């Protein structure tokens, strides 16, 4: 029997005295990536997850009769919402797909009612996820060290990156064969070149869930998607192989995912301030609160790509106060998301806005 969920209080967060300085340094480092790529492409792209592989339109249905601890925030009452899903890879430059990196899923839920986070425009709720359950560093200043290293390689030596990615994939598979997963190796290009439609995505970091604390997950459940779970994409001679694969698959497949919530039940075992610690499901089970459905469609429809990929941003700080991001990493992300989107809007002379 699992424990009762931990109730949120401000004391669950440990705000560090150097956070503002770290945020400023992160923005300076992101500027290196943003300015380098914008100069090379003549067009500004996101500082992370720059390359999209598909933009999907779908429906999120909040389930009926959720127990009180799960009926919170966006999920407090049953109903349907239009959603956009953006599938991506996590680098800040537009790389050929032979350089395999972790996958990302950004979800924007429209027409969400309720008290909003400070500065959160519009009426949407955003979720930003990756296909792994933990973050690569414990704190934002440690992430800053990794980011500085990545910034130095932005848009340089693509051929070398491709070779190194192949080497790292081999190292990663060797580690996995003895039961070791390395998020560090995966973040540097050693991730398997998986089909993003078959992946399970995790918020990695914690959030408020009304009076509780939670992490989130999006899990493929339709047979059209689950059969792709272990599929790897050969991108050796196609720079946009992932996008082309997703486009071909979604033209005839029904995409169904479950949105799941993992309530914190023990702050020692499920810490708020250390996203490198996986919350074990046997101690804090994921529970389904909604279903996302995407009918067969063109996942690279030009009008939708323009509207979503170019004119919108995805930020964990866009949404309801009931889903306030928690922890040092999430607090640092607030400024970084805003900084990146403002640079894109300014360079591209294209306002970033929430959908009406």
């Amino acid at each position: 029997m699992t424990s009762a969920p931990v109730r949120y209080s401000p004391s669950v967060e440990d705000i560090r005295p150097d956070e503002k300085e770290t945020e400023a340094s992160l923005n300076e480092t992101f500027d290196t990536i943003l300015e380098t790529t914008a100069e090379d492409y003549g067009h500004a792209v996101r500082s992370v997850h720059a390359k999209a592989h598909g933009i999907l339109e779908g429906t999120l249905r909040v389930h009926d009769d959720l127990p009180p601890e799960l009926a919170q925030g966006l999920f407090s009452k049953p109903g349907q919402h239009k959603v956009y899903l953006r599938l991506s890879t996590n680098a800040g430059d537009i790389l050929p797909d032979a350089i395999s990196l972790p996958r990302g899923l950004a979800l924007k839920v429209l027409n969400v009612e309720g008290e909003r986070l400070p500065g959160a425009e519009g009426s949407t709720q955003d979720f930003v996820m990756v296909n792994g359950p933990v973050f690569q560093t414990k704190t934002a200043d440690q992430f800053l060290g990794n980011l500085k290293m990545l910034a130095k390689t932005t848009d340089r030596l693509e051929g070398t990156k491709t070779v190194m990615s192949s080497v790292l994939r081999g190292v990663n598979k060797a580690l996995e064969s003895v039961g070791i997963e390395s998020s560090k190796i995966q973040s540097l290009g050693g991730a398997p070149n998986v089909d993003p439609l078959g992946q399970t995505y995790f918020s990695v970091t914690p959030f408020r869930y009304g009076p509780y604390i939670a992490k989130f997950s999006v899990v493929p459940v339709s047979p059209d998607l689950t059969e792709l779970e272990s599929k790897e994409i050969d991108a050796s001679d196609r720079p946009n192989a992932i996008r082309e694969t997703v486009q071909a698959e979604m033209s005839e497949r029904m995409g169904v995912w479950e949105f799941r919530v993992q309530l914190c039940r023990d702050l020692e075992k499920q810490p708020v301030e250390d996203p490198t610690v996986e919350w074990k499901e046997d101690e804090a089970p994921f529970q389904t609160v909604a279903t996302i459905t995407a009918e067969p469609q063109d996942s690279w429809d030009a009008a939708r790509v323009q509207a979503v990929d170019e004119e919108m941003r995805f930020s964990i700080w866009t949404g309801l106060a009931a889903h306030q991001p928690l922890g040092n990493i999430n607090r640092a992300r607030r400024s970084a998301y805003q900084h990146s989107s403002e640079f894109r809007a300014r360079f591209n002379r294209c306002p970033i806005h929430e959908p009406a």
Side-chain angles (χ1 to χ4, degrees):
M1 183 175 177
T2 55
S3 304
V6 173
R7 297 188 78 87
Y8 166 80
S9 78
S11 65
V12 303
E13 293 192 277
D14 180 18
I15 299 177
R16 300 158 61 97
D18 63 346
E19 289 190 356
K20 292 300 180 185
E21 290 81 358
T22 300
E23 288 175 17
S25 295
L26 281 167
N27 286 340
E28 289 176 9
T29 309
F30 278 126
D31 276 341
T32 301
I33 298 172
L34 289 164
E35 290 167 3
T36 299
T37 53
E39 181 179 345
D40 286 350
Y41 308 149
H43 185 81
V45 297
R46 289 167 170 81
S47 55
V48 292
H49 291 275
K51 188 172 187 177
H53 303 303
I55 307 292
L56 301 175
E57 186 176 307
T59 301
L60 178 141
R61 180 180 63 82
V62 178
H63 290 189
D64 298 337
D65 302 322
L66 293 175
E69 64 188 31
L70 294 179
Q72 302 292 335
L74 165 62
F75 310 97
S76 60
K77 59 183 180 181
Q80 292 194 5
H81 301 265
K82 181 177 177 178
V83 295
Y84 292 114
L85 301 90
R86 181 181 187 266
L87 300 163
S88 64
T89 287
N90 73 351
D93 42 359
I94 306 295
L95 299 170
D97 288 348
I99 302 173
S100 58
L101 291 160
R103 305 290 184 244
L105 171 67
L107 175 67
K108 187 177 288 290
V109 186
L110 279 59
N111 299 320
V112 176
E113 298 176 354
E115 179 188 354
R116 299 189 64 73
L117 289 162
E121 300 173 353
S123 59
T124 66
Q125 175 68 52
D126 289 1
F127 299 95
V128 179
M129 303 186 184
V130 293
N131 63 329
V134 296
F135 197 68
Q136 59 189 278
T137 63
K138 178 178 179 179
T139 61
D141 60 337
Q142 293 172 356
F143 175 70
L144 174 62
N146 285 5
L147 187 69
K148 286 180 176 178
M149 179 173 62
L150 292 172
K152 290 178 182 177
T153 69
T154 297
D155 202 37
R156 292 184 185 175
L157 302 176
E158 279 190 3
T160 303
K161 285 183 181 179
T162 304
V163 172
M164 183 58 68
S165 179
S166 177
V167 171
L168 289 172
R169 282 201 300 275
V171 172
N172 199 49
K173 287 183 177 179
L175 289 173
E176 287 179 346
S177 71
V178 293
I180 300 171
E181 289 189 15
S182 174
S183 59
K184 180 98 171 182
I185 287 177
Q186 291 189 9
S187 71
L188 295 174
N193 222 349
V194 294
D195 189 323
L197 289 174
Q199 295 296 291
T200 293
Y201 295 90
F202 301 86
S203 68
V204 177
T205 51
F207 297 77
R208 283 191 65 173
Y209 197 70
Y212 306 111
I213 303 161
K215 290 184 178 181
F216 308 121
S217 180
V218 170
V219 184
V221 292
S222 59
D224 279 352
L225 299 185
T226 56
E227 69 178 12
L228 303 174
E229 180 181 5
S230 58
K231 177 183 176 181
E232 293 193 29
I233 297 172
D234 180 4
S236 54
D237 59 353
R238 291 187 296 153
N240 297 313
I242 303 170
R243 183 180 300 165
E244 293 163 2
T245 299
V246 170
Q247 189 174 26
E249 289 169 343
M250 279 307 301
S251 68
E252 57 187 15
R253 291 176 186 254
M254 171 69 74
V256 182
W257 298 260
E258 288 182 354
F259 191 104
R260 298 178 183 175
V261 172
Q262 184 182 34
L263 294 174
C264 173
R265 298 176 186 274
D266 184 325
L267 285 170
E268 293 293 321
K269 296 177 178 178
Q270 297 112 39
V272 166
E273 291 287 357
D274 188 355
T276 66
V277 175
E278 183 177 355
W279 293 10
K280 300 296 185 181
E281 289 193 54
D282 59 344
E283 298 167 338
F286 277 101
Q287 299 168 278
T288 301
V289 296
T291 299
I292 301 166
T293 303
E295 303 277 350
Q297 61 191 272
D298 180 359
S299 61
W300 204 248
D301 173 77
R304 192 187 309 129
V305 169
Q306 175 64 31
V308 178
D309 207 39
E310 294 293 336
E311 298 175 9
M312 295 184 198
R313 66 169 180 154
F314 293 85
S315 167
I316 59 170
W317 286 92
T318 296
L320 299 178
H323 301 313
Q324 173 192 336
L326 300 175
N328 173 260
I329 293 291
N330 275 347
R331 292 190 296 273
R333 291 164 86 184
R334 183 175 188 173
S335 175
Y337 283 128
Q338 184 70 26
H339 191 79
S340 175
S341 66
E342 288 176 352
F343 182 94
R344 283 199 297 134
R346 186 169 60 250
F347 190 94
N348 296 337
R349 299 179 181 177
C350 176
I352 304 293
H353 54 81
E354 292 300 312

